[in-house]
Amino acid sequence: MSFRIDRVVTSGVFELDGGSWDVDNNVWLIGDDHEVVVVDAAHDDKPIVEAVAGRKVVAVICTHGHNDHVTHAPQLGEQLYAPVLLHPGDQQLWDMTHAGQAFWKADDGQRIAVAGTEIELIHTPGHSPGSMCLHLPEAKALFTGDTLFVGGPGATGRSFSDFPTIIDSIRDRLFKLPEDTRVHTGHGDGTTIGTEAPHLAEWIARGY
């Protein structure tokens, strides 16, 4: 079977700044019948392992360090014999969940080969200092974590986040991509670059 993108939805709790919120997370599997990259290891490793279905895992890539996106990353990496990648800008967030546990450093522009195509990592700070998006030009796909959603940017009202920075990331990095690029988000439904780009000024005006 050819290249495909699979989604697994897991449920759990996001915790930061003394608050907690029940959340559903999108966990993405990018690959084919033989190998796969896992995007975000959230809440429960069992359904993720089941979706991997014995394929070689090239990497577990964390879009950012908030606990709801990395809860099971070290365990999953160990279980599936795969490196866990995270931008070092989110070291402090990672340490809140996995203090003392190592990860592989992800860099802006880094390319990861999987299933006959390439994933390019794009550093998009704002939701967190180390937030990353994953771009697959051949597949016209973008995985945005919590940087871009249907109707606006990810939240910036908590520690380690900044609204002007996330706007810069979206405008200067993501909205430069082709309009027909499909956006696969960290929570909820997907969208396209062409659908969201015309609304940038509205988001700036409302301030979130």
Side-chain angles (χ1 to χ4, degrees), residues 29 67 70 116 125 160 197:
L29 281 69
N67 77 288
V70 304
F160 308 104

Tab-separated table of all heavy atoms in Angstrom, residues 29 67 70 116 125 160 197:
chain	number	residue	atom	x	y	z
A	29	LEU	N	0.187	9.418	12.467
A	29	LEU	CA	1.139	8.433	11.975
A	29	LEU	C	1.333	8.674	10.487
A	29	LEU	O	0.373	8.627	9.706
A	29	LEU	CB	0.656	7.006	12.220
A	29	LEU	CG	0.845	6.458	13.634
A	29	LEU	CD1	-0.064	7.159	14.640
A	29	LEU	CD2	0.583	4.958	13.672
A	67	ASN	N	2.687	18.825	28.332
A	67	ASN	CA	2.574	17.451	28.806
A	67	ASN	C	1.596	16.614	27.985
A	67	ASN	O	1.800	15.415	27.803
A	67	ASN	CB	2.172	17.413	30.289
A	67	ASN	CG	0.699	17.703	30.523
A	67	ASN	OD1	0.254	18.837	30.373
A	67	ASN	ND2	-0.057	16.683	30.876
A	70	VAL	N	3.487	15.020	25.081
A	70	VAL	CA	4.701	14.214	25.315
A	70	VAL	C	4.523	13.163	26.406
A	70	VAL	O	5.487	12.489	26.769
A	70	VAL	CB	5.904	15.116	25.682
A	70	VAL	CG1	6.150	16.159	24.609
A	70	VAL	CG2	5.717	15.782	27.048
A	116	GLY	N	9.405	6.877	1.470
A	116	GLY	CA	9.658	7.425	0.142
A	116	GLY	C	9.468	8.913	-0.001
A	116	GLY	O	9.510	9.446	-1.113
A	125	PRO	N	7.911	29.089	16.909
A	125	PRO	CA	7.685	29.458	18.317
A	125	PRO	C	6.465	30.359	18.486
A	125	PRO	O	6.009	31.011	17.544
A	125	PRO	CB	8.974	30.196	18.684
A	125	PRO	CG	9.499	30.723	17.390
A	125	PRO	CD	9.141	29.687	16.363
A	160	PHE	N	5.489	30.615	29.022
A	160	PHE	CA	6.348	30.230	27.909
A	160	PHE	C	5.723	30.489	26.537
A	160	PHE	O	6.227	29.998	25.522
A	160	PHE	CB	6.771	28.750	27.996
A	160	PHE	CG	7.355	28.358	29.311
A	160	PHE	CD1	6.618	27.628	30.230
A	160	PHE	CD2	8.652	28.725	29.643
A	160	PHE	CE1	7.155	27.262	31.449
A	160	PHE	CE2	9.210	28.357	30.866
A	160	PHE	CZ	8.455	27.622	31.782
A	197	ALA	N	-5.421	31.594	5.875
A	197	ALA	CA	-4.573	32.761	5.616
A	197	ALA	C	-5.333	34.084	5.478
A	197	ALA	O	-4.855	35.119	5.963
A	197	ALA	CB	-3.707	32.514	4.383
